[in-house]
């Protein structure tokens, strides 16, 4: 995908192709990666009809980073490791950009004694998710064919190759900074790796870059907790809620009190006071 993006993207540049790239990237990152994969499948931060959940998860698969079961396993392993007093450098992003990028984009960390993994009922035993897990790479083919029929090779180059390469690289890049640099409102007690917010990436990540907030309240569907923190993923969930397609949307205001976190900013202290009964 990266080679295709560099070669075909330059050969078949057009402004309409760039528009297709931007539109598909925004839709799949918001509905799929942020809402379908992360906020629904991993954290169950809201409820929705099964047909909608599967649609959102399919949108997450076509982002091009992995299947749904791999995503949950990777996410849960990383979260488990970062909460330990000591965390491997691979999962803590302790090296420079070049080495960390090579590790995370091209290597795999294998544990001698890995933690248990159970995606839970309705996920690991879901035949559609098992199908997506086996075939997630192939789903770029019908998308590419549809784009070719409408816009030719420029739309394929930018709507598939540039999009997948950009989303995959950006995900690692934001993850690197979200665990190494940036403002913090909360600290998780005894965690070997603390999270940071990456404000400049709030829009392209659909609110996922408010990662310090997310570490403090992982079950919350809302990541942008303070005024001015844009969170398009949460706004999309709110839209689903208005349409009657989402319910039991969890936020810090209706979640049980979270032990084991310490507020370290004025906004966080103010929020804690507001949450107290």
């Amino acid at each position: 995908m990266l080679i295709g993006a560099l070669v075909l993207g330059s050969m078949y540049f057009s402004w309409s192709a760039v528009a297709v790239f931007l539109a598909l990237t925004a839709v799949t990152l918001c509905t799929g990666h942020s809402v379908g994969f992360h906020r629904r499948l991993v954290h169950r931060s809201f409820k929705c009809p099964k047909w909608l959940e599967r649609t959102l998860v399919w949108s997450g698969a076509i982002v091009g980073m992995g299947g749904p079961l791999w995503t949950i396993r990777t996410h849960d392993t990383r979260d488990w490791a970062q909460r330990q007093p000591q965390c491997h450098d691979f999962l803590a992003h302790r090296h420079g950009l070049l080495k960390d990028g090579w590790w995370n984009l091209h290597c795999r960390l294998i544990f001698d004694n890995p933690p248990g993994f159970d995606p839970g009922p309705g996920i690991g035993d879901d035949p559609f998710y098992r199908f997506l897990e086996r075939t997630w790479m192939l789903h770029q083919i019908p998308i590419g064919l549809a784009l070719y029929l409408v816009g030719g090779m420029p739309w394929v180059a930018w709507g598939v190759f540039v999009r997948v390469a950009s989303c995959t690289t950006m995900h690692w890049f934001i993850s690197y900074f979200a665990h190494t640099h940036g403002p913090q409102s909360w600290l998780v007690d005894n965690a070997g790796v603390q999270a940071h917010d990456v404000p400049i990436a709030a829009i392209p990540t659909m609110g996922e870059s408010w990662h310090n907030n997310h570490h403090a309240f992982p079950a919350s569907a809302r990541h942008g907790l303070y005024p001015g923190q844009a969170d398009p993923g949460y706004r999309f969930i709110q839209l689903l809620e208005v349409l009657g397609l989402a319910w039991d949307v969890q936020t810090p205001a209706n979640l049980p009190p979270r032990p084991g976190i310490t507020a370290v900013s004025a906004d966080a202290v103010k929020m804690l006071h507001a949450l107290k009964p």
Side-chain angles (χ1 to χ4, degrees):
M1 287 293 178
L2 179 59
I3 293 173
L6 294 174
V7 175
L8 299 178
S10 58
M11 288 176 58
Y12 294 102
F13 175 85
S14 75
W15 288 113
S16 67
V18 173
V20 168
F21 158 74
L22 293 173
L24 281 178
T25 298
V27 169
T28 56
L29 284 178
C30 183
T31 65
H33 182 261
S34 176
V35 175
F37 268 16
H38 194 205
R39 308 193 202 203
R40 171 57 198 162
L41 212 58
V42 172
H43 290 290
R44 312 288 186 96
S45 63
F46 68 96
K47 295 179 181 177
C48 65
K50 190 65 176 179
W51 66 265
L52 178 58
E53 178 189 276
R54 287 173 171 168
T55 302
L56 297 174
V57 169
W58 176 79
S59 179
I62 65 174
V63 170
M65 284 186 272
L69 303 183
W70 173 88
T71 298
I72 300 174
R73 182 184 298 108
T74 301
H75 180 282
D76 288 358
T77 300
R78 186 178 299 273
D79 270 15
W80 167 81
Q82 291 173 350
R83 287 194 301 268
Q84 308 307 309
Q86 294 184 337
C87 178
H88 193 282
D89 288 352
F90 179 91
L91 300 172
H93 301 283
R94 288 197 182 97
H95 292 286
L97 279 172
L98 291 179
K99 185 173 183 178
D100 192 86
W102 176 260
W103 274 14
N104 278 270
L105 292 173
H106 302 288
C107 301
R108 176 168 46 183
L109 178 66
I110 300 176
F111 289 91
D112 290 331
N113 298 292
F117 171 72
D118 181 7
I123 299 178
D125 56 356
D126 187 300
F128 180 66
Y129 297 153
R130 287 172 174 264
F131 167 73
L132 275 184
E133 188 68 17
R134 295 191 305 268
T135 63
W136 64 273
M137 291 186 183
L138 301 177
H139 290 257
Q140 305 300 333
I141 296 175
I143 295 172
L145 290 174
L147 292 174
Y148 181 79
L149 291 175
V150 178
M153 276 304 298
W155 283 29
V156 175
W158 284 79
V160 176
F161 291 94
V162 177
R163 174 180 58 83
V164 171
S166 298
C167 288
T168 304
T169 305
M170 183 183 72
H171 182 269
W172 158 74
F173 203 85
I174 300 303
S175 182
Y176 176 85
F177 282 101
H179 295 102
T180 56
H181 303 79
Q184 294 176 304
S185 296
W186 310 89
L187 294 177
V188 178
D189 299 349
N190 302 316
V193 178
Q194 300 291 339
H196 301 257
D197 291 330
V198 188
I200 196 173
I203 299 298
T205 64
M206 302 299 156
E208 296 293 323
S209 69
W210 303 116
H211 205 60
N212 182 256
N213 294 340
H214 174 61
H215 270 225
F217 301 97
S220 172
R222 183 175 185 178
H223 295 174
L225 301 180
Y226 315 124
Q229 292 189 335
D231 190 351
Y234 178 63
R235 297 307 176 194
F236 177 66
I237 295 173
Q238 286 185 306
L239 174 61
L240 294 178
E241 191 176 24
V242 170
L243 297 174
L245 295 174
W247 59 91
D248 291 348
V249 178
Q250 299 177 19
T251 67
N254 57 31
L255 284 168
R258 170 80 197 278
I261 57 173
T262 302
V264 294
S265 75
D267 283 332
V269 171
K270 182 178 179 180
M271 179 179 161
L272 279 184
H273 286 305
L275 292 177
K276 289 182 179 180

